């Protein structure tokens, strides 16, 4: 398995696909951090710095959107891009029968590829956060406290798990579909659905289950929101948004939110209006994280089952 | 001579359709066995079952005295398999492709270097080792494929259509290479082909498969010298082929 891991890692780092992603991410990150930094400096210039000025780098939106929103949005694409041709790419190159006739277990191939992808994500995100931290020090002069560092590390882990889920999903598609283009498309379609339409669907269902006939009836409104929130958590995108906003925003100061994910943000904002200590935030995050991880495990189970039964033929 | 491959009553059913039927196959130590038959006869399916890459629906398989369904890893360690339409990683050089396969077989470092050097020499690609596989001709790719098999120092190699898509020179070279491997390394070889005349010169024994059934099997001498019902002599493998397929009604769609 480690042989496959090493080869896939080398492949990722030398592929032009990865280079393009890297440039894009680096560019966006730099711009956003810079703008967020400038914004923050202005906002903070009056009074004394709040305790979590550093974290605000991630959640303050400049002209477009904040960094955490960028990762929410872009992470799935990253996972899909790294995994969509994992197996059917080998198939179309004609290297799959060869791989399978070597003395290795079939699941070692999936594991090796998945772990290589996760390693790339981990390296990418870690360096990203270090980069931002450096920029933050320069532009805002905010020095992160232990609490903030801890939150960031957890944020990093949750983000890696989030992208790993999408990677796992796209590997499943690469097993299911013989054509590379189809599996890429399937991944993107599911991503769009989960990112944009679950919010819509969950309001529909919520309205049906817990109708609000009078906006002034707070009980009804709350019930409606509860249902909507629960349903929207089917989507890993919302899981992740919820988890990270709790992590990064103990004070919940931002008001601008990414239009498409807006409702979720607002709901969680209402909920966490008071600053939460790290331990409390963790308690909130852990269920989200476990859900995310179990979704990944489900993907993997599906991948194993499909792949082990699949007919291997070069023609 | 002992058998390196032995199957009994081997069958494979795909979606209710029998693709391989009651196949008794025997390949002996050190021989080149030609596994012949038209396209769709079930050659590749049989080979996949020999390697444990697909489950037999019925019957038993022994490869090097092992059951490939029970012990796939050990079989794959000792058997070299050249798939139909073998592919490579186009962005890697020949040497890098070989190194990957060596590592998958648990061969690393100097030992891997030595084996890669040896096998490249053996297949006549010593000068192309550092070139990207992207630019390789079909013939070179087939040779590289053979080099990949030899890395694991197998006792038995199974070649699925090794001459497919080669020009006449390439075919001659490939045939010569296979003969050489058998003579120098004492390998047992099972090679499949749907073009009889290409391989008949090197096969010690052949089995002819049609629609999943073995219609003839034996040494070249046995097959060539037998008489047909009409009393005509079968001079070459081509004749044998024609004889069997034109007497079997199913073969007419060829
Ligand atoms: N996965 C499959 N599902 C259904 N039928 C198959 C499958 N694979 C092969 N076949 C059928 O099995 C027959 C034998 O195929 P194959 O073993 O590839 O023949 P050969 O290698 O001799 O040309 C063909 O008729 C083919 O259509
Ligand atoms: Mg075939």
């Amino acid at each position: 398995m480690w042989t496959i891991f090493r080869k896939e890692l080398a492949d990722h780092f030398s592929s032009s696909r990865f280079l393009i992603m890297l440039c894009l991410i680096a560019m966006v990150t730099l711009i956003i951090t810079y703008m967020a930094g400038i914004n923050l400096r202005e906002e903070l210039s009056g009074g004394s710095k709040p305790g979590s000025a550093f974290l605000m780098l991630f959640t303050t939106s400049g002209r477009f959107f904040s960094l955490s929103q960028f990762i929410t949005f872009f992470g799935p694409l990253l996972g899909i891009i790294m995994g969509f041709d994992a197996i059917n790419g080998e198939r179309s190159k004609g290297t799959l029968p060869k791989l399978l006739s070597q003395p290795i277990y079939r699941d070692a191939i999936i594991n090796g590829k998945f772990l290589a992808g996760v390693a790339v994500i981990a390296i990418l995100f870690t360096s990203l956060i270090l980069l931002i931290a450096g920029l933050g020090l320069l532009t805002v002069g905010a020095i992160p406290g232990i609490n903030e560092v801890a939150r960031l590390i957890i944020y990093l882990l949750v983000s890696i798990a989030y992208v790993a889920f999408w990677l796992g999903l796209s590997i499943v598609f690469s097993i299911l579909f013989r054509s590379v283009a189809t599996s890429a498309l399937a991944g993107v379609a599911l991503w769009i659905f989960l990112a944009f339409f679950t919010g819509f669907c969950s309001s529909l269902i919520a309205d049906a289950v817990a109708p609000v006939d009078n906006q002034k009836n707070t009980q009804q409104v709350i019930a409606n929101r509860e249902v909507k929130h629960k349903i929207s958590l089917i989507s890993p995108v919302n899981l992740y948004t919820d988890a990270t906003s709790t992590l990064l925003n103990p004070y919940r100061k931002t008001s601008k939110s990414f239009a498409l994910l807006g409702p979720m943000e607002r709901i969680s904002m209402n909920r966490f209006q008071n600053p939460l200590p790290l331990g409390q935030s963790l308690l909130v995050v852990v269920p989200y994280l476990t859900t995310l991880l179990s979704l990944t495990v489900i993907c993997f189970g599906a991948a194993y089952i499909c792949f082990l039964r699949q007919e291997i033929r070069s023609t | 001579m002992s058998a390196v491959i032995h199957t009994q009553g081997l069958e494979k059913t795909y979606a209710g359709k029998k693709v391989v039927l009651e196949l008794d196959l025997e390949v002996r130590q050190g021989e080149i066995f030609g596994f012949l038959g038209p396209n769709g006869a079930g050659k590749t399916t049989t080979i996949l079952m020999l390697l444990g890459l697909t489950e037999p629906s019925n019957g038993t398989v022994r490869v090097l005295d092992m059951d490939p369904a029970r012990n796939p890893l050990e079989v794959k360690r000792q058997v070299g398999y050249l798939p139909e339409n073998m592919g490579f990683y186009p962005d890697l050089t020949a040497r890098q492709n070989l190194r990957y396969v060596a590592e998958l077989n648990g061969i690393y470092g100097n030992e891997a270097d030595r084996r890669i050097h040896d096998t490249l020499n053996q297949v006549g690609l010593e000068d192309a080792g550092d070139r990207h596989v992207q630019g390789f001709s079909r013939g070179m790719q087939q040779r590289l494929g053979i080099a990949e098999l030899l890395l694991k120092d197998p006792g038995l190699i199974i070649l699925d259509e090794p001459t497919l898509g080669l020009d006449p020179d390439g075919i001659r070279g490939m045939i010569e290479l296979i003969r050489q491997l058998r003579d120098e390394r004492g390998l047992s070889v099972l090679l499949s082909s749907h073009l009889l005349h290409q391989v008949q010169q090197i096969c010690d024994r052949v089995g002819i498969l049609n629609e999943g059934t073995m219609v003839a099997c034996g040494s070249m001498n046995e097959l060539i010298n037998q008489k047909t019902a009409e009393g005509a002599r079968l001079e070459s493998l081509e004749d044998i082929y024609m004889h069997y397929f034109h007497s079997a009604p199913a073969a007419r769609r060829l």
Side-chain angles (χ1 to χ4, degrees), chain A residues 110-185:
Chain A
I110 309 184
N111 291 345
K113 281 174 179 274
F114 179 73
L115 287 181
V118 172
V120 172
I121 298 165
I123 293 170
L124 201 64
F125 279 6
T126 310
S127 38
L128 201 71
I129 284 187
L130 290 178
L131 182 77
I132 296 168
L135 281 175
L137 285 177
L138 286 179
T139 50
V140 191
I143 294 162
I146 289 180
N147 194 304
E148 283 174 291
V149 171
R151 275 172 191 272
L152 265 189
I153 290 173
I154 299 163
Y155 172 67
L156 186 65
L157 293 179
V158 177
S159 303
I160 292 171
Y162 176 59
V163 180
F165 162 77
W166 290 99
L167 178 66
L169 192 72
S170 66
I171 290 179
V172 174
F173 284 142
S174 85
I175 294 170
L176 285 181
F177 300 109
R178 299 252 159 163
S179 137
V180 178
T182 313
S183 65
L185 202 61

Side-chain angles (χ1 to χ4, degrees), chain A residues 178 311-313 315, chain B residues 12-15 17-20 35-48 84 160-161 192-194 209 212 253:
Chain A
R178 299 252 159 163
E311 187 68 32
I312 305 305
R313 251 174 218 265
T315 41
Chain B
K12 179 73 188 180
T13 313
Y14 278 126
K17 186 178 158 243
K18 288 199 168 165
V19 171
V20 175
F35 195 39
L36 309 175
N39 281 322
K43 304 182 295 292
T44 303
T45 310
T46 308
I47 289 172
L48 291 178
E84 210 171 359
D160 200 352
E161 308 269 5
S192 90
S193 179
H194 64 281
L209 199 67
R253 64 192 164 86

Side-chain angles (χ1 to χ4, degrees), chain A residues 3-4 6-8 11 90 93-106 310-315, chain B residues 14 44-45 48 53-54 73 76-77 81 83-90 92 100-101 103-105 108 148 152:
Chain A
T3 302
I4 296 174
R6 256 179 288 133
K7 162 162 186 304
E8 291 297 323
D11 277 1
E90 299 270 358
K93 275 192 287 247
T95 46
L96 193 57
K98 166 168 83 188
L99 267 187
L100 292 173
S101 60
Q102 305 307 327
I104 48 169
Y105 289 106
R106 274 194 194 191
Q310 203 165 49
E311 187 68 32
I312 305 305
R313 251 174 218 265
S314 42
T315 41
Chain B
Y14 278 126
T44 303
T45 310
L48 291 178
L53 290 176
T54 204
L73 252 43
K76 289 172 188 170
R77 214 184 303 281
Y81 167 50
E84 210 171 359
N85 301 317
M86 167 79 130
F88 301 88
Y89 299 101
L92 302 183
Y100 186 40
V101 173
E103 289 182 358
L104 288 174
N105 280 280
Y108 302 93
E148 256 175 25
K152 57 174 113 177

Side-chain angles (χ1 to χ4, degrees), chain B residues 7-12 22-24 56-61 67:
Chain B
T7 74
Q8 224 163 13
L10 189 63
E11 298 201 337
K12 179 73 188 180
E22 296 265 339
L23 187 68
D24 299 331
S57 312
N58 249 322
T60 59
V61 185
D67 179 354

Side-chain angles (χ1 to χ4, degrees), chain B residues 177-211:
Chain B
L177 178 61
I178 294 170
R179 196 206 306 269
Q180 212 178 341
L181 291 176
R182 195 269 306 267
D183 292 347
E184 288 174 11
R185 295 191 173 223
L187 285 177
S188 316
V189 181
L190 180 139
L191 77 99
S192 90
S193 179
H194 64 281
L195 297 169
L196 307 173
H197 59 273
Q198 288 183 357
V199 295
Q200 71 179 53
Q201 344 151 14
I202 52 160
C203 295
D204 300 309
R205 293 194 315 130
V206 295
I208 299 182
L209 199 67
N210 188 33
E211 307 227 309

